[in-house]
C-alpha cells in the first residue's frame, strides 16, 4: 500500500524537525479547523449545480458585493470550525465588516486567522475554479499591543499562510515558513494527502496574467512593461492567461512561473485586491517558493495595514519578471 502523508502528519513532522522537540500539536489542531471547513466547502461546491446553493444570497457583504450563497456558507463553515479551536483569539473574514473576537486569555488564544472564505465566488455559476485563502498571525503579547493591533501586523509577521483551490481536483497549498507544500484532497478517504513538497516558482515563466481591459487606466509604466513583455524584451515569448480567480491565477504562477499584475486602475486607485487576506498570504507563499510579491514598487509583506479590509495594488511572480517590473516601475 502506498504510504500517504496527511497535512496534519506533515505539520507535526515539520514542527518536530524545526523545533527538535515533540510538536505541541496546537498549530496542526488549528490547521485541522481549516481543512475540515475546506472539505465542507468542497462538498457544497461539487453539488452546487444540483442544489439551490448557486446564485445570489440576496444580501450584500461589507465590500458592497452581491453575496453568493456559497460565500455565506463558506464563511459560516470557517467561523464555526475555527471558532471551536481554543487557540484562536480572533477571526477576520472578507465577508464580515468586523472581526470575531473570543475572549480567551492570551496564553491560550495565541492565533489570529484572517481569511477570504471563497474568493472569486462569482465564477462558481460558470464552473470556474474558486478558492479559500488564509493567513495565520500570532497575537501580540498584551504588553506589546492590543488584540485589535494584533490584527494589523505587517505580512512579514505571518506564522503561516495558504489556500485551497477548488478545481478539477481540490488542492491545499500552505507554508509555515519552511517551504511551500501541496496536498490533494482524496475524497475516497476524506483526507488532504501530500502531493508536492518544497514547491519552487520557476526563475522565469511563460505567462503574463492581467485584466488588460483595465490597461487604459493603469499608470503608464505598467503598460510600457507589458509592451516589453509582449515584444520579447524579457528574452522569451509569453502567452496570456487570466482566469479572473485570484487563487487559480496564483496556483498556475506558482507551478509554471510568469507574472500576475493587478496595478492601480481608475475604478480601484488603491488597487482592487485586499491586503490582509489576499495579498499577504499569497505574497508569503510566493517568497517561500523563491518568487516575489510587490505593490509594483514595494514589498507586499512590509506594508503596515491600517484597516482589515484595506486594498493594495498586487503583483507577484517569478524573479526574472518581477525584477524587470521593478525596473520599469522605478524608471
Ligand atoms: P477583475 C474575483 O472577484 C477577484 O476578487 C479575484 O479573485 C480576481 O483576481 C479579481 O477579483 C479579478 O478582478 O477586475 O479582473 O474582474
Amino acid at each position: 500500500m502506498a504510504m500517504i502523508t496527511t497535512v496534519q502528519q506533515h505539520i507535526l513532522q515539520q514542527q518536530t524537525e524545526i523545533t527538535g522537540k515533540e510538536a505541541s500539536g496546537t498549530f496542526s489542531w488549528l490547521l485541522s479547523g481549516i481543512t475540515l471547513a475546506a472539505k465542507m466547502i468542497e462538498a457544497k461546491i461539487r453539488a452546487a449545480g444540483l442544489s439551490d446553493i448557486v446564485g445570489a444570497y440576496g444580501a450584500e457583504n461589507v465590500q458592497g458585493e452581491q453575496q453568493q450563497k456559497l460565500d455565506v456558507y463558506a464563511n459560516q463553515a470557517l467561523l464555526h470550525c475555527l471558532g471551536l479551536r481554543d487557540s484562536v483569539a480572533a477571526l477576520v473574514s472578507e465577508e464580515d465588516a468586523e472581526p470575531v473576537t473570543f475572549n480567551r486569555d492570551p496564553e491560550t488564544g495565541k492565533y489570529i486567522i484572517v481569511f477570504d472564505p471563497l474568493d472569486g465566488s462569482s465564477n462558481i455559476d460558470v464552473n470556474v475554479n474558486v478558492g479559500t485563502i488564509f493567513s495565520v498571525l500570532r497575537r501580540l503579547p498584551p504588553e506589546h499591543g492590543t488584540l485589535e493591533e494584533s490584527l494589523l501586523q505587517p505580512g512579514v509577521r505571518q506564522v503561516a499562510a495558504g489556500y485551497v483551490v477548488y478545481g478539477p481536483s481540490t488542492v491545499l497549498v500552505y507554508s509555515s515558513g519552511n517551504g511551500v507544500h501541496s496536498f490533494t484532497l482524496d475524497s475516497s478517504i476524506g483526507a488532504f494527502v501530500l502531493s508536492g513538497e518544497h514547491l519552487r516558482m520557476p526563475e522565469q515563466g511563460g505567462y503574463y496574467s492581467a485584466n488588460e481591459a483595465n490597461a487604459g487606466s493603469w499608470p503608464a509604466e505598467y503598460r510600457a512593461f507589458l509592451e516589453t513583455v509582449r515584444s520579447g524584451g524579457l528574452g522569451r515569448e509569453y502567452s496570456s492567461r487570466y482566469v479572473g480567480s485570484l487563487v487559480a491565477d496564483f496556483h498556475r504562477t506558482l507551478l509554471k512561473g510568469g507574472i500576475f499584475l493587478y496595478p492601480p486602475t481608475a475604478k480601484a486607485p488603491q488597487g482592487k485586491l485586499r491586503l490582509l487576506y489576499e495579498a499577504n498570504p499569497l505574497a508569503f507563499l510566493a517568497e517561500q517558493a523563491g518568487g516575489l510579491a510587490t505593490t509594483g514598487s514595494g514589498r507586499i509583506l512590509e506594508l503596515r495595514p491600517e484597516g482589515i479590509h484595506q486594498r493594495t495594488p498586487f503583483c507577484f511572480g517569478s524573479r526574472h519578471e518581477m525584477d524587470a517590473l521593478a525596473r520599469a516601475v522605478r524608471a
Side-chain angles (χ1 to χ4, degrees):
M1 177 180 80
M3 290 314 292
I4 63 166
T5 302
T6 66
V7 60
Q8 268 72 30
Q9 285 165 316
H10 192 260
I11 287 188
L12 291 172
Q13 277 162 9
Q14 275 220 324
Q15 282 186 325
T16 308
E17 275 158 30
I18 300 168
T19 59
K21 59 181 189 300
E22 199 48 39
S24 68
T26 306
F27 184 65
S28 66
W29 173 235
L30 190 70
L31 204 82
S32 68
I34 292 174
T35 50
L36 175 59
K39 291 177 211 169
M40 293 163 66
I41 295 164
E42 192 268 348
K44 275 281 187 276
I45 287 175
R46 293 282 165 252
L50 307 174
S51 64
D52 67 345
I53 197 136
V54 170
Y57 180 63
E60 277 195 354
N61 65 11
V62 66
Q63 322 291 339
E65 289 163 351
Q66 188 62 44
Q67 269 190 312
Q68 305 294 324
K69 283 180 184 170
L70 262 169
D71 272 351
V72 176
Y73 178 82
N75 192 37
Q76 284 163 351
L78 280 157
L79 291 173
H80 172 73
C81 295
L82 288 169
L84 295 172
R85 267 62 183 165
D86 59 9
S87 53
V88 170
L91 296 172
V92 172
S93 169
E94 190 245 6
E95 291 295 330
D96 296 325
E98 297 306 323
V100 175
T101 57
F102 304 87
N103 62 345
R104 286 162 179 152
D105 74 76
E107 276 316 298
T108 313
K110 287 190 289 198
Y111 294 105
I112 291 158
I113 318 239
V114 178
F115 56 86
D116 185 351
L118 203 57
D119 180 76
S121 56
S122 52
N123 291 304
I124 293 239
D125 294 357
V126 293
N127 207 24
V128 164
N129 291 16
V130 289
T132 297
I133 312 172
F134 64 90
S135 163
V136 184
L137 294 163
R138 196 171 278 114
R139 178 192 184 137
L140 295 171
E143 63 275 14
H144 290 173
T146 64
L147 180 55
E148 283 62 36
E149 287 161 343
S150 301
L151 306 180
L152 297 176
Q153 298 173 73
V156 284
R157 302 295 300 272
Q158 292 175 101
V159 290
Y163 60 85
V164 181
V165 53
Y166 308 97
S169 60
T170 295
V171 180
L172 164 74
V173 176
Y174 100 98
S175 173
S176 56
N178 183 27
V180 177
H181 314 291
S182 68
F183 300 80
T184 301
L185 181 62
D186 178 341
S187 300
S188 67
I189 57 174
F192 279 102
V193 176
L194 183 66
S195 48
E197 266 198 308
H198 294 290
L199 300 178
R200 300 299 290 171
M201 197 182 282
E203 270 297 303
Q204 182 175 14
Y207 297 115
Y208 69 82
S209 185
N211 182 342
E212 296 183 66
N214 299 326
S217 71
W218 293 345
E221 57 270 22
Y222 290 89
R223 282 197 298 277
F225 170 72
L226 221 37
E227 212 26 66
T228 304
V229 174
R230 283 198 202 95
S231 59
L234 295 197
R236 64 161 292 166
E237 287 201 345
Y238 282 80
S239 194
S240 168
R241 285 285 184 285
Y242 189 70
V243 180
S245 183
L246 181 60
V247 172
D249 283 319
F250 183 86
H251 195 61
R252 181 200 57 253
T253 308
L254 172 65
L255 299 180
K256 302 289 184 191
I259 188 166
F260 173 96
L261 309 165
Y262 208 109
T265 65
K267 229 167 67 176
Q270 303 305 318
K272 171 181 184 180
L273 299 170
R274 288 85 164 191
L275 175 57
L276 253 62
Y277 37 80
E278 289 175 342
N280 266 343
L282 297 181
F284 182 79
L285 293 171
E287 293 195 1
Q288 279 288 318
L292 293 170
T294 69
T295 59
S297 50
R299 192 176 170 222
I300 288 284
L301 296 182
E302 287 172 7
L303 292 177
R304 302 201 65 77
E306 263 112 50
I308 58 173
H309 298 296
Q310 174 175 336
R311 296 172 189 267
T312 177
F314 186 31
C315 306
F316 57 80
S318 300
R319 187 168 292 280
H320 183 80
E321 289 89 334
M322 288 299 290
D323 287 350
L325 173 67
R327 288 193 297 276
V329 169
R330 266 201 293 274

